[in-house]
Amino acid sequence: MSRSVAVVDYGMGNLRSVSQAVLHAAREASKSGMDVEVIVTAEPSEVRRAERVVLPGQGAMRDCMRELREAHGGELLGAVLEAAASKPLMGVCVGMQMLLEHSEEQYTPGLGLIPGQVRRFQLEGRLQPDGSRYKVPQMGWNRVLQSRRHPMWAGVPDASWFYFVHSFYAAPAHAGHSVGETEYGERFTSAVARDNIFATQFHPEKSAAHGLALYRNFLAWRP
């Protein structure tokens, strides 16, 4: 069984870490007879050809949106939107935030694929249970509570630890689109899903075995 995965290169993703994690997951999948081709690409035709797509992102969402809109005269954006309409698509970090309608970060419009907003942590002056101040960005390991069952959680225990680096978080308009939640001063959505789309605020590629399990699940997922 042969499958292809495109990791979208629009100049703003943690491409090496993401692609290496997907390649590692692909090698694991090959042991069960699944042949997976992984390509890192900025070519719209390659994104269209791939069976499934990973959309990474890091930095400011406005910069990410601008680079994606301008790549290949808008053709790469079109290819990503086509993928989101018809193929398994996984967003990572800012790649998740871009899926929503709008971000408070520099009042940036998103792709509008999942209704909702991206908000900034408002934690100034607040203390953590150990007496230290909350820091923004949140940087480090935190638990993800699986707020809704989803095939992408297969083999990943509830309340597993994942690695975060972010100042903004997704606030979906519909509770049913939130499939993972995390506590950091308040409970926020750390994973979203709708139809053939799944995305995480945390970095699976930096999250050891449980992060790799998510990428393996993505390779096998048939929404």
Side-chain angles (χ1 to χ4, degrees):
M1 183 185 304
S2 180
R3 301 182 184 184
S4 57
V5 182
V7 180
V8 183
D9 177 8
Y10 58 101
M12 295 297 295
N14 188 12
L15 291 169
R16 178 171 173 77
S17 295
V18 172
S19 61
Q20 288 300 311
V22 177
L23 282 166
H24 188 282
R27 287 193 292 269
E28 290 292 312
S30 69
K31 296 175 183 178
S32 59
M34 184 189 299
D35 180 22
V36 182
E37 176 192 14
V38 181
I39 55 171
V40 178
T41 183
E43 292 294 329
S45 60
E46 295 284 356
V47 174
R48 291 189 171 100
R49 183 181 69 83
E51 185 201 44
R52 53 196 66 219
V53 174
V54 176
L55 180 67
Q58 65 180 11
M61 181 167 150
R62 175 178 285 185
D63 295 339
C64 290
M65 287 298 303
R66 182 189 66 246
E67 294 300 315
L68 182 59
R69 280 196 306 269
E70 294 180 356
H72 286 269
E75 270 198 70
L76 185 58
L77 171 60
V80 170
L81 291 174
E82 289 173 24
S86 59
K87 305 174 183 179
L89 183 143
M90 183 173 179
V92 179
C93 195
V94 179
M96 166 182 164
Q97 296 176 7
M98 292 165 69
L99 300 177
L100 280 81
E101 295 172 300
H102 188 269
S103 175
E104 292 180 348
E105 184 177 19
Q106 301 174 306
Y107 304 100
T108 303
L111 298 175
L113 297 171
I114 294 179
Q117 307 293 317
V118 178
R119 297 175 180 162
R120 188 182 189 280
F121 283 121
Q122 301 294 331
L123 300 173
E124 289 75 5
R126 294 184 56 186
L127 300 180
Q128 301 191 63
D130 64 3
S132 64
R133 291 184 180 274
Y134 281 102
K135 295 180 180 180
V136 178
Q138 176 187 199
M139 185 178 296
W141 295 84
N142 206 339
R143 292 184 184 273
V144 174
L145 307 174
Q146 297 172 19
S147 50
R148 186 160 66 84
R149 295 183 65 180
H150 193 280
M152 285 287 289
W153 293 132
V156 179
D158 192 16
S160 290
W161 295 84
F162 291 91
Y163 190 81
F164 290 81
V165 182
H166 65 123
S167 301
F168 295 80
Y169 62 92
H174 306 302
H177 290 154
S178 178
V179 295
E181 296 181 350
T182 297
E183 294 278 353
Y184 193 68
E186 59 185 296
R187 183 168 290 198
F188 69 92
T189 293
S190 53
V192 297
R194 179 185 68 77
D195 302 327
N196 55 301
I197 296 171
F198 183 92
T200 67
Q201 180 60 67
F202 54 85
H203 290 270
E205 69 279 1
K206 297 180 180 179
S207 299
H210 293 143
L212 289 174
L214 281 181
Y215 283 124
R216 284 198 303 274
N217 289 343
F218 179 66
L219 298 180
W221 181 34
R222 291 220 173 262

